[in-house]
Amino acid sequence: EDHFYPEIINPETGEVVAEGEQGELVFTSLTKEAFPIIRYRTRDLTRLLAGTARSMRRMEKVTGRSDDMIILRGVNVFPTQIEEVLMACPGLAPHFQIELSCPGRMDQMQVMTEASDTAMGPEDRANAGRELAAAIKQSIGISVKIDVKDVGGVARSEGKAVRIVDNRPKT
């Protein structure tokens, strides 16, 4: 805080949120003269914690990125939340891709992941998929379809992984 002024803003409106609310972290430099930074948007979602006996404020752990957020049936979902639940499911590899679609009136999410072992048969993969769907429903509160593919079945990309494929109609 002696060199930067942190703020938490609403990612959509740019307005400063109330103290302790989660939002996007924004910095303004206080001491840079040659190249000042004014309200630099980090796209990181976090919250500033109330002051303690320390002389500097603290920031909560970064929970996601505003540009990765998915709004599905009114629920904010981050790929990192899906990944966290997936990592806790035995028998599934940490590779995944989220596909969003809108076949009717409601948006749907399908998570494509893969088995961690080539010896997993179709029945084992189906059971692992049901367990993952239940864990996501319990943890995040949304119903998703799960497609457990063979080892190497989820597309890999060079560089940054493409985690979200949005097939919903653009309005």
Side-chain angles (χ1 to χ4, degrees):
E1 285 184 314
D2 54 344
H3 293 284
F4 294 95
Y5 179 71
E7 295 176 279
I8 302 295
I9 64 167
N10 179 320
E12 273 119 45
T13 65
E15 298 291 320
V16 177
V17 299
E19 185 75 23
E21 278 190 41
Q22 185 171 18
E24 181 180 336
L25 181 63
V26 173
F27 286 114
T28 298
S29 68
L30 302 174
T31 56
K32 280 189 162 232
E33 294 178 14
F35 190 67
I37 298 171
I38 300 170
R39 297 197 89 203
Y40 175 75
R41 296 183 68 167
T42 63
R43 302 281 182 211
D44 292 332
L45 295 174
T46 187
R47 75 180 83 230
L48 293 176
L49 302 173
T52 60
R54 296 179 175 184
S55 59
M56 304 286 182
R57 292 176 67 181
R58 294 179 309 139
M59 182 181 78
E60 190 176 69
K61 179 179 116 177
V62 173
T63 58
R65 295 194 41 90
S66 62
D67 50 358
D68 282 349
M69 184 172 68
I70 301 165
I71 300 175
L72 185 75
R73 297 184 295 257
V75 178
N76 295 347
V77 181
F78 297 95
T80 53
Q81 291 175 298
I82 302 288
E83 183 177 32
E84 195 173 294
V85 175
L86 176 62
M87 297 290 274
C89 285
L92 297 176
H95 308 291
F96 71 98
Q97 191 170 53
I98 298 169
E99 185 177 307
L100 302 171
S101 61
C102 187
R105 293 177 11 156
M106 299 289 282
D107 290 344
Q108 289 184 353
M109 178 186 287
Q110 179 171 348
V111 178
M112 275 90 60
T113 186
E114 59 187 50
S116 61
D117 185 7
T118 55
M120 278 183 82
E123 190 173 315
D124 293 331
R125 290 200 318 258
N127 288 336
R130 280 191 290 278
E131 287 177 27
L132 178 59
I136 290 172
K137 174 73 172 173
Q138 201 268 327
S139 174
I140 303 170
I142 59 168
S143 297
V144 299
K145 294 180 179 181
I146 306 294
D147 182 10
V148 180
K149 299 180 178 293
D150 291 328
V151 174
V154 174
R156 310 281 200 285
S157 59
E158 298 292 321
K160 186 177 178 182
V162 178
R163 295 280 190 216
I164 303 167
V165 177
D166 194 346
N167 295 326
R168 297 177 292 184
K170 308 294 183 236
T171 57

